[in-house]
Amino acid sequence: MIVPGPSSSIEAAAVAARQPERIIVMAQFHAPSTPRNAILSGDCVSLMRDLERHSVDFILTDPPYITRYRGRDGRTVANDDNARWLKPAVRQMHRVLKPGGFMVSFYGWNKVDLFVDAWREAGFRIVGHLVFRKRYASSARFLRYEHEQAYLLAKGDVTLPEKPIADVIDFPYTGNRLHPTQKPVEALTPLVETFSKPGDLVLDPFCGSGSTLVAARDLGRNFLGLELSREHHRTASERLADAGRAAA
């Protein structure tokens, strides 16, 4: 909540004189809060620091792969050229996730050592691996790259899902129309359905064009997206607004 301030320095001095203790308390303390059904713009590490501890039920995210990605159309991904953000972001994800919660994180296969080190250092356990099967090749060098991959991670003691899903999931082509590495909602939907319940809060700290958020909302979950790029934040916001109008 934003508290409106006085309109002039004279008024500010008068308010401070009348309520000095209240002014000091408001200046020194910021109570964490976790919004629902929102998309926040900014650096995810800073934004997650403002979220309540143990306030998120499930995390599904597609962070930069740290591979200096450049699409056929020349588009790139912010912070895909360095790993400085990785451990701070993973620590915050572990902090906000409830004990007994799951996280599914995509990763760059040739930087798997960096991701695994960050996950384990933060306190996550690796409990599964997922392959997303494409009907096309993203690129071709030593091999034709026809899949994406993600790890299933757990925080503390977790309950096994009632209906475990297969560890190979089809990955329809999105055309990357909304984001240079856009993930299809169809591939994310079974993950949200399996590792969260209706009414739960699903977090995506690198929400891009909002595919995770659409899957969460379609399944009756609350969602929270964080996005550094103003362009992608606008795309995700418009996409969720359009989905809301269609549902209404």
Side-chain angles (χ1 to χ4, degrees):
M1 181 177 67
I2 299 175
V3 180
S7 58
S8 72
S9 58
I10 296 176
E11 291 179 16
V15 170
R18 290 195 303 269
Q19 299 176 323
E21 293 184 0
R22 183 184 177 198
I23 296 296
I24 291 172
V25 169
M26 290 178 65
Q28 290 183 349
F29 297 99
H30 174 70
S33 63
T34 303
R36 290 172 174 253
N37 302 320
I39 306 173
L40 308 183
S41 176
D43 173 72
C44 72
V45 176
S46 298
L47 292 172
M48 283 190 285
R49 288 189 181 121
D50 287 338
L51 303 183
E52 297 168 282
R53 181 184 298 272
H54 303 163
S55 59
V56 170
D57 296 287
F58 174 53
I59 299 174
L60 172 55
T61 194
D62 177 30
Y65 286 3
I66 319 176
T67 56
R68 299 179 183 271
Y69 172 84
R70 181 176 293 274
R72 295 183 179 91
D73 56 5
R75 289 183 296 172
T76 59
V77 175
N79 285 325
D80 195 40
D81 60 350
N82 73 89
R84 293 188 297 273
W85 53 270
L86 180 56
K87 286 188 176 181
V90 172
R91 282 195 296 268
Q92 288 302 317
M93 286 186 263
H94 188 272
R95 186 185 70 83
V96 302
L97 184 64
K98 292 179 180 178
F102 289 98
M103 177 169 80
V104 172
S105 178
F106 288 83
Y107 67 95
W109 63 266
N110 54 347
K111 301 293 182 180
V112 64
D113 54 329
L114 300 180
F115 283 90
V116 169
D117 184 45
W119 295 329
R120 286 178 168 159
E121 184 177 297
F124 282 109
R125 289 189 298 119
I126 295 174
V127 295
H129 188 256
L130 294 147
V131 172
F132 297 85
R133 177 175 47 207
K134 299 178 178 179
R135 295 183 179 178
Y136 61 94
S138 299
S139 61
R141 294 191 67 196
F142 301 103
L143 299 168
R144 286 173 51 85
Y145 300 115
E146 297 185 357
H147 79 279
E148 298 286 336
Q149 60 284 317
Y151 271 104
L152 174 64
L153 308 160
K155 178 176 178 178
D157 295 327
V158 294
T159 301
L160 295 176
E162 293 182 8
K163 298 179 180 179
I165 57 174
D167 61 358
V168 178
I169 298 174
D170 286 335
F171 194 90
Y173 184 48
T174 66
N176 294 330
R177 294 181 299 275
L178 302 178
H179 187 277
T181 60
Q182 182 182 343
K183 299 298 184 284
V185 173
E186 299 92 329
L188 306 182
T189 296
L191 303 173
V192 175
E193 189 170 28
T194 301
F195 299 110
S196 67
K197 303 184 298 295
D200 278 357
L201 179 59
V202 177
L203 169 67
D204 186 348
F206 301 89
C207 75
S209 63
S211 294
T212 292
L213 315 183
V214 172
R217 179 138 104 179
D218 288 351
L219 290 169
R221 277 65 166 169
N222 296 291
F223 63 84
L224 176 59
L226 314 178
E227 176 52 43
L228 177 64
S229 162
R230 292 184 179 181
E231 176 187 357
H232 299 320
H233 175 265
R234 181 172 60 253
T235 298
S237 299
E238 292 173 352
R239 188 178 183 189
L240 269 292
D242 289 344
R245 283 192 289 268

